[in-house]
Amino acid sequence: MKLKKNIATSESGFIFNPSTGDSFSANGIAAGILAEMKSDKTEQEIKTGILARYDVRPEQLDRDWDDWMVQLKEANLLDN
Amino acid sequence: MKPADILTVGITGLNAHDNPGPGIAVARALKDAYGDNIRLIGLAYEALEPGIYMDKLLDKTYHIPYPAAGATVLLERLLEINGMTGLDMIIPNFDAELGNFIKIAPRLAAEDIKTFLPDAVQLAARDKTQLHEFAATYGFKVPDYVNLTKAEDMEVTGDKLGYPLFIKGKYYEARLADNADEAKKIFHDIANRWGLPVIAQRCIKGTEINVAGLGDGKGNLISAVPMRKLYITDKGKAWAGVTIEDAELVDLAGQFAKTLQWRGGFELEIIKDNAGNLYIIEINPRFPAWIYLAAASGQNQPAALVKMAMGDDVQPFESYEPGKLFIRHSWDDVVDIARFQQFSAFGEI
């Protein structure tokens, strides 16, 4: 699933949905992942990068990723 | 005498308090656009309207009679003010005064004082007591409501609409009632303040969004800027809000401008429910108090309205900046009481 094209993000982790006026704060890791999603990297490419940078098992990352997607969907930040 | 290239524009709605009129925001937008090439003349009903004392925005302010005094008295006073200032245009900013201004617009035009207003039929069509007819005629969604003339009818109305529901004055004010007793109390408060009927309106749950719009009177939408309310006062007024990007809202404003051939500024008050339905809860026939946000985000509607009134060809704006936030605040201006006395006693300052 892709981030909506018009979602604005900043390096500090501020997220703004211009369609709804909703805004959110993300921590540094989440802001980095959002930036990668905006650059049109695939899910696999992003996950590979995370596995290389952090001490996390692939199955744990998959679970966290699914949870992340649910959060983004609930926040109305993903394309349908 | 004034230089020929300086516009002189009269503005009402200088009551920049907790339920603010749009006049100060309109003045600010015009100053942004015209700078020193405009003289702004305040037209105030009461000596404690804060705008009267804002010298950086208004060059001069005159007292005008309350709308209840009627169109003839208003016209006499405006012609007197015109004799002292040389008005090129007047922008009325209150719902309750628009009927009078529409009546006298031809007489003002005869004196070369321009206005840019809807006609009386258009004004009546969007009246909040007529929203059912408006919705049925033009195909808009509005929340169910009942016009009430006596508090006893609240029982039946409450059963029909369910609680909580909004109780609204015909010109201003909306308060939420959780039960019949509360609704009756609010009915009496609002009836005393604004007269009858009082409107009971179903409460639609969703996001509160307002759209500031400008129509050219020929069916074209010149501008529309949607704003989501972020902070709402106990009077239901936006105290902070952010511009948002939503083509559906702009389309809705376009349908309104087209179907009513709306001439002038307007504000659509909308609830977007969880299913994405857009309910128009109110249509204000003038700029909103937050209109400076539209100017700051790229669409200076008051300036465009002045240009159209002056006969210029104004093309529709094509874009604005979403994510512009306004935050209203309180500020104590300090002036000598002699100025208050000057306005109270002589009707001008």
Side-chain angles (χ1 to χ4, degrees):
Chain A
M1 281 189 280
K2 286 196 161 187
L3 205 61
K4 284 181 177 168
K5 276 203 163 38
N6 62 349
I7 300 297
T9 59
S10 74
E11 285 180 9
S12 62
F14 179 73
I15 306 163
F16 177 65
N17 183 346
S19 302
T20 62
D22 289 326
S23 59
F24 309 90
S25 291
N27 64 22
I29 295 174
I33 296 171
L34 281 168
E36 291 189 89
M37 289 176 77
K38 279 193 82 176
S39 70
D40 279 342
K41 280 190 179 176
T42 65
E43 175 182 331
Q44 200 49 54
E45 286 170 330
I46 298 170
K47 282 181 174 175
T48 302
I50 293 171
L51 288 169
R53 287 196 302 276
Y54 300 102
D55 181 18
V56 58
R57 286 177 288 113
E59 54 274 23
Q60 179 65 48
L61 175 59
D62 284 340
R63 283 197 296 273
D64 289 349
W65 183 268
D66 290 344
D67 186 41
W68 168 242
M69 285 297 130
V70 169
Q71 286 187 50
L72 292 178
K73 194 170 172 54
E74 281 177 353
N76 200 20
L77 297 173
L78 295 179
D79 271 331
N80 291 324
Chain B
M1 289 298 288
K2 54 164 187 150
D5 56 346
I6 291 185
L7 276 176
T8 301
V9 179
I11 292 173
T12 68
L14 309 183
N15 56 329
H17 49 54
D18 63 336
N19 185 5
I24 294 306
V26 169
R28 196 176 166 199
L30 292 177
K31 273 286 180 197
D32 271 12
Y34 288 93
D36 292 337
N37 293 320
I38 197 163
R39 284 175 73 221
L40 296 174
I41 308 297
L43 303 170
Y45 293 100
E46 293 183 0
L48 282 178
E49 290 182 28
I52 296 169
Y53 306 98
M54 296 181 185
D55 298 337
K56 286 182 182 166
L57 275 179
L58 300 174
D59 296 88
K60 188 93 180 152
T61 299
Y62 294 91
H63 179 260
I64 58 171
Y66 281 115
T72 307
V73 177
L74 175 65
L75 179 64
E76 282 170 9
R77 178 60 175 153
L78 291 176
L79 294 181
E80 193 178 22
I81 294 167
N82 184 43
M84 294 182 276
T85 60
L87 289 167
D88 293 303
M89 182 180 181
I90 299 176
I91 305 177
N93 289 302
F94 281 127
D95 301 25
E97 68 189 5
L98 279 185
N100 283 342
F101 272 97
I102 289 168
K103 270 186 204 159
I104 64 173
R107 283 285 289 113
L108 293 174
E111 300 292 329
D112 210 19
I113 305 168
K114 296 174 176 63
T115 53
F116 201 79
L117 300 169
D119 64 30
V121 175
Q122 292 165 333
L123 183 70
R126 43 54 50 198
D127 190 282
K128 68 179 92 169
T129 61
Q130 311 288 330
L131 274 185
H132 281 151
E133 294 81 353
F134 168 81
T137 306
Y138 300 112
F140 294 106
K141 279 195 181 76
V142 300
D144 203 5
Y145 69 93
V146 175
N147 292 329
L148 298 166
T149 52
K150 51 185 192 289
E152 296 74 52
D153 292 343
M154 204 58 248
E155 299 286 353
V156 179
T157 300
D159 290 344
K160 181 184 173 199
L161 301 179
Y163 289 97
L165 52 75
F166 280 104
I167 307 290
K168 296 179 153 191
K170 64 179 175 179
Y171 290 121
Y172 299 104
E173 208 170 332
R175 285 157 63 183
L176 201 60
D178 288 317
N179 54 57
D181 288 341
E182 199 179 350
K184 284 180 192 171
K185 183 181 176 305
I186 297 172
F187 172 95
H188 289 300
D189 284 352
I190 287 184
N192 284 337
R193 203 164 297 138
W194 303 113
L196 296 172
V198 168
I199 301 132
Q201 190 177 66
R202 187 190 300 277
C203 176
I204 305 282
K205 287 192 171 59
T207 306
E208 286 193 45
I209 300 166
N210 290 3
V211 183
L214 177 64
D216 69 357
K218 301 169 193 162
N220 300 308
L221 180 72
I222 299 300
S223 166
V225 177
M227 178 276 296
R228 178 180 168 183
K229 294 182 182 181
L230 294 181
Y231 186 97
I232 301 170
T233 68
D234 58 354
K235 290 185 173 163
K237 304 297 164 189
W239 206 251
V242 63
T243 52
I244 60 171
E245 181 181 75
D246 189 326
E248 265 189 282
L249 293 166
V250 175
D251 285 349
L252 189 67
Q255 287 170 42
F256 172 76
K258 185 177 177 186
T259 51
L260 263 81
Q261 302 278 298
W262 190 262
R263 190 167 187 264
F266 64 90
E267 181 191 33
L268 303 180
E269 294 190 18
I270 293 162
I271 299 283
K272 188 171 194 173
D273 73 7
N274 292 336
N277 295 306
L278 300 177
Y279 288 90
I280 297 179
I281 55 172
E282 220 166 293
I283 301 163
N284 296 316
R286 36 98 191 142
F287 291 129
W290 56 273
I291 193 63
Y292 187 74
L293 179 70
S297 62
Q299 300 196 2
N300 193 329
Q301 295 184 7
L305 177 132
V306 168
K307 284 179 186 153
M308 287 194 289
M310 293 300 152
D312 292 350
D313 180 33
V314 175
Q315 293 301 308
F317 288 94
E318 289 178 355
S319 64
Y320 60 90
E321 200 176 338
K324 281 282 183 192
L325 183 77
F326 84 89
I327 305 163
R328 200 165 278 162
H329 63 94
S330 302
W331 175 267
D332 298 350
D333 275 335
V334 177
V335 299
D336 197 282
I337 195 157
R339 302 190 66 205
F340 170 77
Q341 187 269 340
Q342 159 81 21
F343 189 83
S344 302
F346 301 106
E348 66 176 89
I349 188 169

